[in-house]
Amino acid sequence: MKRIIALVLSLALTISGLYLVPVKAADKTLTLGTKYSGKLSSYGSDTYTFTMTSSSNVQVLVGSDNEQLWTLRSTDYSVSFSTQTAPSNVGCYLPKGKTYELTIKYSGNYTLQVNKISGDKITSKGKKVVIKSADSKSIGFTFSGIADYARDNLKIKSSVPKVATAAFSVNGNNSGTVTIYPKYIGKTIISLSMVGGNTIKYTVHCTNGHWYVAKGSKAKAPKPKGVKKIKWSSSKKKRIKIKKKSGRIKAKKGGRCTLIAKAGGFKYKIRVYVTDFKKLAKRTYREIKDVVNNPDKLKLYNIYKGYYKMNGHKVPVVYFDYASTNSYGAYVRNKIMAAYDDVGTWRCWYVSNANNIIKKKRIKAKTVKKK
């Protein structure tokens, strides 16, 4: 009889344009560390609330026999996490002073437990890092707690990004790797921090760089970044003379030299190759004659000296626009650019024109032909 009355009342409300609104079940209070279980009807939901009295990492364990969905957020929506599918074991960081709602949806049996865990502690060896080349360097670290939490809550930064940047990766066995990418000579602090945990710092010295100058140049040597009170010296004063305090140089002779910058009890070395344009042009002319079919019929149209931007450096180069005969006796025109690299090796490559050479000046053909 009661069912009939309820059905008639429902039909009457529907016909009159009113709809029955389901009443939300009362939220359940959750105690950290306590295990709960429940059962949901089709598309039902249970919401548990709890308040954090101190900021902490928590571990959310949800068991399920029907892949229920669950969400976690603060009641003021200032903190929220993406929807998860049970069964799951998720670590997250929750700030203090907020009330949180953990809602489980769908149907079937479930279990729930939220455990408060200590902030993940990071440990690492080798916190003083010296990088002597352009290659990246990797350092291992370990952490306590949950790998998923570490992936989401580890932060890394460099105090002087122009010297080096860094990235991290997390493994599933409570270990990870910090990879440091050198960019410029100098000193930087790489900080790896865990939200809710601790911070470890790596003092990184990128000690070796290189620089290209032309004979006769007067310029300031590349100053190491992140350091102060630098004292300069030159390994070969006959090649490069440098002022001790200002770092201003005078390139006197072609060839290789090392500039040393001392700062804070540390040495930063800059390998320099001083290019003598005259000698480079003569060397290039000889190399061209060695490879053409008929050196006596070699024609030189345009020769320039100048600078070419390459990998962030202005490299002294010479440009040759010439023609040589092929096996049929016909002239074939070529254009090449040549330079000395930072270790003094002569190199050349084919180009289409001299447009990318800056501060270029013409060289007379008779100058390069002189022995």
Side-chain angles (χ1 to χ4, degrees):
M1 186 65 181
K2 291 181 179 180
R3 291 181 179 178
I4 295 173
I5 294 172
L7 179 61
V8 172
L9 180 59
S10 177
L11 289 171
L13 290 172
T14 303
I15 292 170
S16 63
L18 299 175
Y19 298 92
L20 292 175
V21 179
V23 179
K24 179 183 177 182
D27 292 346
K28 302 177 182 182
T29 302
L30 180 146
T31 302
L32 297 177
T34 302
K35 188 174 183 178
Y36 298 88
S37 61
K39 184 176 182 179
L40 296 174
S41 58
S42 181
Y43 298 103
S45 66
D46 280 345
T47 298
Y48 294 80
T49 63
F50 60 96
T51 302
M52 296 296 293
T53 56
S54 62
S55 299
S56 177
N57 297 329
V58 297
Q59 180 186 32
V60 183
L61 296 164
V62 181
S64 168
D65 64 1
N66 199 25
E67 294 186 337
Q68 280 101 331
L69 302 177
W70 61 271
T71 58
L72 175 62
R73 66 172 180 82
S74 59
T75 53
D76 63 359
Y77 290 88
S78 61
V79 180
S80 62
F81 300 91
S82 58
T83 301
Q84 305 287 331
T85 302
S88 56
N89 178 351
V90 177
C92 50
Y93 174 76
L94 301 182
K96 68 178 181 180
K98 294 185 181 294
T99 299
Y100 295 89
E101 292 182 341
L102 199 159
T103 302
I104 300 178
K105 302 177 181 180
Y106 208 33
S107 60
N109 298 303
Y110 68 85
T111 59
L112 166 65
Q113 185 173 352
V114 180
N115 300 317
K116 188 175 180 180
I117 56 178
S118 61
D120 286 352
K121 183 173 179 59
I122 322 167
T123 57
S124 178
K125 294 181 180 180
K127 296 177 185 177
K128 291 184 179 180
V129 184
V130 177
I131 302 178
K132 297 182 179 181
S133 69
D135 297 329
S136 61
K137 191 165 188 176
S138 297
I139 307 163
F141 67 91
T142 59
F143 60 91
S144 60
I146 305 161
D148 287 342
Y149 177 81
R151 288 189 185 94
D152 293 338
N153 292 280
L154 276 171
K155 308 294 180 184
I156 195 165
K157 68 176 182 178
S158 172
S159 63
V160 188
K162 289 183 178 181
V163 171
T165 57
F168 69 87
S169 59
V170 173
N171 304 322
N173 57 351
N174 291 94
S175 66
T177 302
V178 169
T179 305
I180 301 171
Y181 302 94
K183 299 172 70 177
Y184 195 84
I185 53 171
K187 174 185 174 183
T188 184
I189 305 296
I190 302 294
S191 300
L192 181 68
S193 304
M194 181 73 81
V195 177
N198 65 318
T199 298
I200 56 175
K201 294 182 178 181
Y202 301 94
T203 302
V204 179
H205 295 275
C206 296
T207 61
N208 289 34
H210 61 275
W211 189 33
Y212 303 88
V213 294
K215 179 184 174 182
S217 295
K218 295 179 181 180
K220 277 192 174 183
K223 180 182 175 182
K225 298 183 183 299
V227 295
K228 297 179 180 179
K229 295 182 179 179
I230 300 169
K231 292 182 179 179
W232 290 95
S233 62
S234 171
S235 66
K236 295 179 181 178
K237 294 180 181 179
K238 291 182 179 180
R239 196 154 280 162
I240 294 182
K241 189 175 181 180
I242 188 167
K243 291 187 176 180
K244 189 175 182 179
K245 291 185 178 180
S246 67
R248 185 168 291 278
I249 66 108
K250 182 177 180 180
K252 300 171 71 176
K253 186 179 179 181
R256 195 168 65 182
C257 176
T258 299
L259 300 179
I260 301 167
K262 292 182 180 179
F266 219 87
K267 288 183 180 180
Y268 301 92
K269 296 180 180 180
I270 305 168
R271 187 171 57 195
V272 188
Y273 194 86
V274 182
T275 298
D276 184 326
F277 279 123
K278 186 177 180 180
K279 289 183 178 180
L280 175 59
K282 287 184 175 182
R283 167 73 183 275
T284 304
Y285 175 67
R286 290 198 303 268
E287 295 286 347
I288 293 172
K289 288 188 71 175
D290 285 344
V291 297
V292 297
N293 286 326
N294 194 341
D296 294 332
K297 293 186 177 181
L298 178 65
K299 292 183 179 180
L300 298 176
Y301 297 108
N302 295 296
I303 309 172
Y304 293 107
K305 65 178 181 180
Y307 296 86
Y308 179 73
K309 290 184 178 180
M310 185 165 53
N311 299 325
H313 295 272
K314 291 181 180 178
V315 182
V317 296
V318 293
Y319 166 89
F320 276 73
D321 176 7
Y322 68 94
S324 59
T325 57
N326 59 17
S327 57
Y328 298 101
Y331 274 95
V332 178
R333 196 161 178 172
N334 289 300
K335 301 174 182 67
I336 67 166
M337 194 147 43
Y340 287 118
D341 63 16
D342 61 309
V343 295
T345 304
W346 179 89
R347 301 186 186 283
C348 78
W349 57 100
Y350 287 98
V351 293
S352 58
N353 53 56
N355 292 344
N356 292 326
I357 300 176
I358 59 175
K359 296 182 179 179
K360 62 175 181 278
K361 293 183 178 179
R362 191 180 296 275
I363 299 175
K364 293 180 179 179
K366 63 180 180 179
T367 303
V368 302
K369 292 180 181 180
K370 289 181 180 180
K371 293 184 180 181

CSV table of all heavy atoms in Angstrom, one decimal, residues 51-96:
chain,number,residue,atom,x,y,z
A,51,THR,N,40.4,17.4,8.0
A,51,THR,CA,41.1,18.7,8.1
A,51,THR,C,42.6,18.5,8.4
A,51,THR,O,42.9,17.6,9.3
A,51,THR,CB,40.5,19.6,9.2
A,51,THR,OG1,39.1,19.9,8.8
A,51,THR,CG2,41.2,21.0,9.2
A,52,MET,N,43.4,19.2,7.7
A,52,MET,CA,44.9,19.1,7.9
A,52,MET,C,45.3,20.1,9.0
A,52,MET,O,45.2,21.3,8.7
A,52,MET,CB,45.6,19.2,6.6
A,52,MET,CG,45.4,18.2,5.6
A,52,MET,SD,45.9,16.5,6.1
A,52,MET,CE,47.7,16.8,6.1
A,53,THR,N,45.8,19.7,10.1
A,53,THR,CA,46.3,20.6,11.1
A,53,THR,C,47.7,21.0,10.9
A,53,THR,O,48.2,21.9,11.5
A,53,THR,CB,46.2,19.9,12.5
A,53,THR,OG1,46.9,18.7,12.5
A,53,THR,CG2,44.7,19.6,12.8
A,54,SER,N,48.4,20.3,10.0
A,54,SER,CA,49.8,20.7,9.6
A,54,SER,C,50.0,20.2,8.2
A,54,SER,O,49.4,19.2,7.7
A,54,SER,CB,50.8,20.0,10.5
A,54,SER,OG,50.7,18.6,10.4
A,55,SER,N,50.8,20.9,7.4
A,55,SER,CA,51.1,20.6,6.1
A,55,SER,C,51.8,19.3,6.0
A,55,SER,O,52.8,19.0,6.8
A,55,SER,CB,52.0,21.7,5.4
A,55,SER,OG,51.3,22.9,5.4
A,56,SER,N,51.5,18.4,5.1
A,56,SER,CA,52.1,17.1,5.1
A,56,SER,C,51.8,16.3,3.8
A,56,SER,O,50.9,16.7,3.0
A,56,SER,CB,51.5,16.2,6.3
A,56,SER,OG,52.1,14.9,6.2
A,57,ASN,N,52.7,15.3,3.5
A,57,ASN,CA,52.4,14.4,2.5
A,57,ASN,C,51.4,13.4,3.0
A,57,ASN,O,51.4,13.0,4.2
A,57,ASN,CB,53.7,13.6,2.1
A,57,ASN,CG,54.7,14.5,1.5
A,57,ASN,OD1,54.4,15.5,0.9
A,57,ASN,ND2,56.0,14.2,1.7
A,58,VAL,N,50.5,12.9,2.2
A,58,VAL,CA,49.6,11.9,2.5
A,58,VAL,C,49.6,10.8,1.5
A,58,VAL,O,50.0,11.0,0.3
A,58,VAL,CB,48.1,12.4,2.7
A,58,VAL,CG1,48.1,13.3,3.9
A,58,VAL,CG2,47.6,12.9,1.4
A,59,GLN,N,49.3,9.6,1.9
A,59,GLN,CA,49.2,8.4,1.0
A,59,GLN,C,47.7,8.0,0.9
A,59,GLN,O,47.1,7.7,2.0
A,59,GLN,CB,50.1,7.3,1.5
A,59,GLN,CG,50.1,6.0,0.6
A,59,GLN,CD,50.8,4.9,1.3
A,59,GLN,OE1,50.9,4.8,2.5
A,59,GLN,NE2,51.4,4.1,0.5
A,60,VAL,N,47.1,8.0,-0.2
A,60,VAL,CA,45.7,7.7,-0.4
A,60,VAL,C,45.7,6.3,-1.0
A,60,VAL,O,46.1,6.0,-2.1
A,60,VAL,CB,45.0,8.7,-1.3
A,60,VAL,CG1,43.5,8.3,-1.4
A,60,VAL,CG2,45.2,10.1,-0.8
A,61,LEU,N,45.1,5.3,-0.2
A,61,LEU,CA,44.9,3.9,-0.7
A,61,LEU,C,43.5,3.7,-0.9
A,61,LEU,O,42.7,3.8,0.0
A,61,LEU,CB,45.5,3.0,0.4
A,61,LEU,CG,47.0,3.1,0.7
A,61,LEU,CD1,47.3,2.4,2.0
A,61,LEU,CD2,47.8,2.5,-0.4
A,62,VAL,N,43.1,3.4,-2.1
A,62,VAL,CA,41.7,3.1,-2.4
A,62,VAL,C,41.6,1.7,-3.1
A,62,VAL,O,42.3,1.5,-4.1
A,62,VAL,CB,41.1,4.1,-3.4
A,62,VAL,CG1,39.6,3.8,-3.7
A,62,VAL,CG2,41.2,5.5,-2.8
A,63,GLY,N,40.9,0.8,-2.5
A,63,GLY,CA,40.7,-0.6,-3.0
A,63,GLY,C,39.3,-0.6,-3.7
A,63,GLY,O,38.4,0.1,-3.3
A,64,SER,N,39.2,-1.5,-4.7
A,64,SER,CA,37.9,-1.5,-5.4
A,64,SER,C,37.7,-2.8,-6.1
A,64,SER,O,38.6,-3.5,-6.5
A,64,SER,CB,38.0,-0.4,-6.5
A,64,SER,OG,36.9,-0.5,-7.4
A,65,ASP,N,36.4,-3.2,-6.2
A,65,ASP,CA,36.1,-4.4,-7.0
A,65,ASP,C,35.4,-4.0,-8.3
A,65,ASP,O,35.0,-4.9,-9.1
A,65,ASP,CB,35.2,-5.4,-6.2
A,65,ASP,CG,33.9,-4.8,-5.9
A,65,ASP,OD1,33.6,-3.6,-6.3
A,65,ASP,OD2,33.1,-5.5,-5.2
A,66,ASN,N,35.3,-2.7,-8.6
A,66,ASN,CA,34.6,-2.3,-9.8
A,66,ASN,C,35.2,-1.0,-10.4
A,66,ASN,O,34.5,-0.2,-11.0
A,66,ASN,CB,33.1,-2.1,-9.5
A,66,ASN,CG,32.3,-2.1,-10.8
A,66,ASN,OD1,32.7,-2.7,-11.8
A,66,ASN,ND2,31.2,-1.4,-10.8
A,67,GLU,N,36.5,-0.7,-10.1
A,67,GLU,CA,37.2,0.4,-10.7
A,67,GLU,C,36.5,1.7,-10.5
A,67,GLU,O,36.2,2.5,-11.4
A,67,GLU,CB,37.4,0.2,-12.2
A,67,GLU,CG,38.4,-0.9,-12.6
A,67,GLU,CD,38.7,-0.9,-14.0
A,67,GLU,OE1,37.9,-0.4,-14.9
A,67,GLU,OE2,39.8,-1.5,-14.4
A,68,GLN,N,36.1,2.0,-9.2
A,68,GLN,CA,35.5,3.2,-8.9
A,68,GLN,C,36.4,4.4,-9.2
A,68,GLN,O,37.6,4.3,-9.2
A,68,GLN,CB,35.1,3.3,-7.4
A,68,GLN,CG,33.8,2.5,-7.1
A,68,GLN,CD,34.1,1.1,-6.5
A,68,GLN,OE1,35.1,0.6,-6.8
A,68,GLN,NE2,33.2,0.6,-5.6
A,69,LEU,N,35.8,5.6,-9.4
A,69,LEU,CA,36.5,6.8,-9.6
A,69,LEU,C,36.5,7.6,-8.3
A,69,LEU,O,35.5,7.5,-7.5
A,69,LEU,CB,35.8,7.6,-10.7
A,69,LEU,CG,35.7,7.0,-12.0
A,69,LEU,CD1,35.0,7.9,-13.0
A,69,LEU,CD2,37.1,6.6,-12.6
A,70,TRP,N,37.6,8.3,-8.0
A,70,TRP,CA,37.6,9.1,-6.8
A,70,TRP,C,38.4,10.4,-7.0
A,70,TRP,O,39.2,10.5,-7.9
A,70,TRP,CB,38.2,8.4,-5.6
A,70,TRP,CG,39.6,7.9,-5.7
A,70,TRP,CD1,40.1,6.7,-6.2
A,70,TRP,CD2,40.8,8.6,-5.3
A,70,TRP,NE1,41.4,6.7,-6.2
A,70,TRP,CE2,41.9,7.8,-5.6
A,70,TRP,CE3,41.0,9.9,-4.7
A,70,TRP,CZ2,43.2,8.2,-5.4
A,70,TRP,CZ3,42.3,10.3,-4.5
A,70,TRP,CH2,43.4,9.5,-4.8
A,71,THR,N,38.0,11.4,-6.3
A,71,THR,CA,38.6,12.8,-6.4
A,71,THR,C,38.9,13.3,-5.0
A,71,THR,O,38.3,12.9,-4.1
A,71,THR,CB,37.6,13.7,-7.1
A,71,THR,OG1,36.4,13.8,-6.4
A,71,THR,CG2,37.3,13.3,-8.6
A,72,LEU,N,39.9,14.2,-5.0
A,72,LEU,CA,40.3,14.8,-3.8
A,72,LEU,C,40.5,16.3,-4.0
A,72,LEU,O,41.2,16.7,-4.9
A,72,LEU,CB,41.6,14.2,-3.2
A,72,LEU,CG,42.2,14.8,-2.0
A,72,LEU,CD1,41.3,14.7,-0.8
A,72,LEU,CD2,43.5,14.2,-1.6
A,73,ARG,N,39.8,17.1,-3.2
A,73,ARG,CA,40.0,18.6,-3.3
A,73,ARG,C,39.7,19.2,-2.0
A,73,ARG,O,39.1,18.6,-1.1
A,73,ARG,CB,39.0,19.1,-4.4
A,73,ARG,CG,37.5,19.0,-4.0
A,73,ARG,CD,36.6,19.7,-5.0
A,73,ARG,NE,35.2,19.5,-4.6
A,73,ARG,CZ,34.6,20.3,-3.7
A,73,ARG,NH1,35.3,21.2,-3.1
A,73,ARG,NH2,33.3,20.1,-3.5
A,74,SER,N,40.1,20.5,-1.8
A,74,SER,CA,39.8,21.3,-0.7
A,74,SER,C,38.4,21.8,-0.9
A,74,SER,O,38.0,22.1,-2.0
A,74,SER,CB,40.8,22.4,-0.4
A,74,SER,OG,40.9,23.2,-1.5
A,75,THR,N,37.7,22.1,0.2
A,75,THR,CA,36.3,22.6,0.1
A,75,THR,C,36.2,24.0,-0.5
A,75,THR,O,35.2,24.4,-1.0
A,75,THR,CB,35.6,22.6,1.5
A,75,THR,OG1,36.5,23.3,2.4
A,75,THR,CG2,35.4,21.2,2.0
A,76,ASP,N,37.4,24.7,-0.4
A,76,ASP,CA,37.4,26.1,-1.1
A,76,ASP,C,37.9,26.0,-2.5
A,76,ASP,O,38.2,27.0,-3.1
A,76,ASP,CB,38.2,27.1,-0.2
A,76,ASP,CG,39.6,26.7,-0.1
A,76,ASP,OD1,40.0,25.6,-0.6
A,76,ASP,OD2,40.4,27.4,0.6
A,77,TYR,N,38.2,24.8,-3.0
A,77,TYR,CA,38.6,24.6,-4.4
A,77,TYR,C,40.0,25.1,-4.7
A,77,TYR,O,40.5,25.2,-5.8
A,77,TYR,CB,37.7,25.2,-5.4
A,77,TYR,CG,36.4,24.4,-5.5
A,77,TYR,CD1,35.3,24.8,-4.7
A,77,TYR,CD2,36.2,23.4,-6.4
A,77,TYR,CE1,34.1,24.1,-4.7
A,77,TYR,CE2,35.0,22.7,-6.4
A,77,TYR,CZ,34.0,23.0,-5.6
A,77,TYR,OH,32.8,22.4,-5.6
A,78,SER,N,40.8,25.6,-3.6
A,78,SER,CA,42.1,26.1,-3.8
A,78,SER,C,43.1,25.0,-4.1
A,78,SER,O,44.2,25.2,-4.6
A,78,SER,CB,42.6,26.9,-2.6
A,78,SER,OG,42.6,26.2,-1.5
A,79,VAL,N,42.8,23.8,-3.6
A,79,VAL,CA,43.7,22.6,-3.9
A,79,VAL,C,42.8,21.5,-4.5
A,79,VAL,O,41.8,21.2,-4.0
A,79,VAL,CB,44.3,22.1,-2.6
A,79,VAL,CG1,45.2,20.9,-2.8
A,79,VAL,CG2,45.1,23.2,-1.9
A,80,SER,N,43.3,20.9,-5.6
A,80,SER,CA,42.5,19.9,-6.2
A,80,SER,C,43.5,19.0,-7.0
A,80,SER,O,44.5,19.4,-7.4
A,80,SER,CB,41.4,20.4,-7.2
A,80,SER,OG,42.0,21.1,-8.2
A,81,PHE,N,43.1,17.7,-7.2
A,81,PHE,CA,43.9,16.7,-7.9
A,81,PHE,C,43.0,16.0,-8.9
A,81,PHE,O,41.7,16.0,-8.8
A,81,PHE,CB,44.4,15.7,-6.9
A,81,PHE,CG,45.3,16.3,-5.9
A,81,PHE,CD1,44.8,16.7,-4.6
A,81,PHE,CD2,46.7,16.5,-6.1
A,81,PHE,CE1,45.7,17.3,-3.7
A,81,PHE,CE2,47.5,17.0,-5.2
A,81,PHE,CZ,47.0,17.4,-4.0
A,82,SER,N,43.6,15.6,-10.0
A,82,SER,CA,42.8,15.0,-11.1
A,82,SER,C,42.1,13.7,-10.6
A,82,SER,O,42.5,13.0,-9.6
A,82,SER,CB,43.7,14.6,-12.2
A,82,SER,OG,44.8,13.8,-11.8
A,83,THR,N,41.0,13.3,-11.3
A,83,THR,CA,40.3,12.1,-11.0
A,83,THR,C,41.1,10.9,-11.1
A,83,THR,O,41.9,10.8,-12.1
A,83,THR,CB,39.0,12.0,-11.9
A,83,THR,OG1,38.2,13.2,-11.7
A,83,THR,CG2,38.2,10.8,-11.6
A,84,GLN,N,41.0,10.0,-10.2
A,84,GLN,CA,41.8,8.7,-10.2
A,84,GLN,C,40.9,7.5,-10.3
A,84,GLN,O,39.7,7.6,-10.0
A,84,GLN,CB,42.6,8.6,-8.9
A,84,GLN,CG,43.5,9.8,-8.6
A,84,GLN,CD,44.7,9.8,-9.5
A,84,GLN,OE1,45.2,8.8,-10.0
A,84,GLN,NE2,45.2,11.0,-9.8
A,85,THR,N,41.4,6.4,-10.8
A,85,THR,CA,40.7,5.2,-10.9
A,85,THR,C,41.2,4.2,-9.9
A,85,THR,O,42.4,4.0,-9.8
A,85,THR,CB,40.8,4.6,-12.3
A,85,THR,OG1,40.3,5.6,-13.2
A,85,THR,CG2,39.9,3.3,-12.4
A,86,ALA,N,40.3,3.6,-9.1
A,86,ALA,CA,40.7,2.6,-8.1
A,86,ALA,C,40.9,1.2,-8.8
A,86,ALA,O,40.2,1.0,-9.8
A,86,ALA,CB,39.7,2.6,-7.0
A,87,PRO,N,41.7,0.3,-8.3
A,87,PRO,CA,42.5,0.5,-7.1
A,87,PRO,C,43.7,1.4,-7.4
A,87,PRO,O,44.3,1.4,-8.5
A,87,PRO,CB,42.9,-1.0,-6.8
A,87,PRO,CG,42.9,-1.6,-8.1
A,87,PRO,CD,41.8,-1.0,-8.8
A,88,SER,N,44.1,2.1,-6.3
A,88,SER,CA,45.2,3.1,-6.6
A,88,SER,C,46.0,3.4,-5.2
A,88,SER,O,45.4,3.2,-4.2
A,88,SER,CB,44.7,4.4,-7.2
A,88,SER,OG,43.7,4.9,-6.4
A,89,ASN,N,47.2,3.7,-5.4
A,89,ASN,CA,48.1,4.2,-4.3
A,89,ASN,C,48.7,5.4,-4.7
A,89,ASN,O,49.6,5.5,-5.5
A,89,ASN,CB,49.1,3.1,-4.0
A,89,ASN,CG,50.0,3.4,-2.9
A,89,ASN,OD1,50.1,4.6,-2.4
A,89,ASN,ND2,50.9,2.5,-2.4
A,90,VAL,N,48.2,6.6,-4.2
A,90,VAL,CA,48.6,7.9,-4.7
A,90,VAL,C,49.2,8.7,-3.5
A,90,VAL,O,48.6,8.7,-2.4
A,90,VAL,CB,47.4,8.6,-5.3
A,90,VAL,CG1,47.9,10.0,-5.8
A,90,VAL,CG2,46.9,7.9,-6.5
A,91,GLY,N,50.3,9.4,-3.8
A,91,GLY,CA,50.9,10.3,-2.8
A,91,GLY,C,50.6,11.7,-3.2
A,91,GLY,O,50.7,12.0,-4.4
A,92,CYS,N,50.3,12.6,-2.3
A,92,CYS,CA,50.1,14.0,-2.6
A,92,CYS,C,50.4,14.9,-1.4
A,92,CYS,O,50.5,14.4,-0.2
A,92,CYS,CB,48.7,14.3,-3.1
A,92,CYS,SG,47.4,13.6,-2.1
A,93,TYR,N,50.6,16.1,-1.6
A,93,TYR,CA,51.0,17.1,-0.6
A,93,TYR,C,49.7,17.9,-0.3
A,93,TYR,O,49.2,18.5,-1.1
A,93,TYR,CB,52.1,17.9,-1.0
A,93,TYR,CG,52.5,19.1,-0.1
A,93,TYR,CD1,53.1,18.8,1.1
A,93,TYR,CD2,52.1,20.4,-0.3
A,93,TYR,CE1,53.5,19.8,2.0
A,93,TYR,CE2,52.4,21.4,0.5
A,93,TYR,CZ,53.1,21.1,1.7
A,93,TYR,OH,53.4,22.1,2.6
A,94,LEU,N,49.4,18.0,1.0
A,94,LEU,CA,48.2,18.8,1.4
A,94,LEU,C,48.6,19.9,2.4
A,94,LEU,O,49.2,19.6,3.5
A,94,LEU,CB,47.2,17.9,2.1
A,94,LEU,CG,46.6,16.7,1.2
A,94,LEU,CD1,45.6,15.9,2.0
A,94,LEU,CD2,46.1,17.2,-0.1
A,95,PRO,N,48.3,21.2,2.1
A,95,PRO,CA,48.7,22.3,3.0
A,95,PRO,C,47.8,22.2,4.2
A,95,PRO,O,46.6,21.8,4.2
A,95,PRO,CB,48.4,23.5,2.1
A,95,PRO,CG,48.4,23.1,0.7
A,95,PRO,CD,47.9,21.7,0.8
A,96,LYS,N,48.3,22.8,5.3
A,96,LYS,CA,47.5,22.8,6.6
A,96,LYS,C,46.4,23.8,6.6
A,96,LYS,O,46.4,24.7,5.7
A,96,LYS,CB,48.5,23.1,7.7
A,96,LYS,CG,49.0,24.5,7.7
A,96,LYS,CD,49.9,24.7,9.0
A,96,LYS,CE,50.5,26.2,9.0
A,96,LYS,NZ,51.3,26.4,10.1
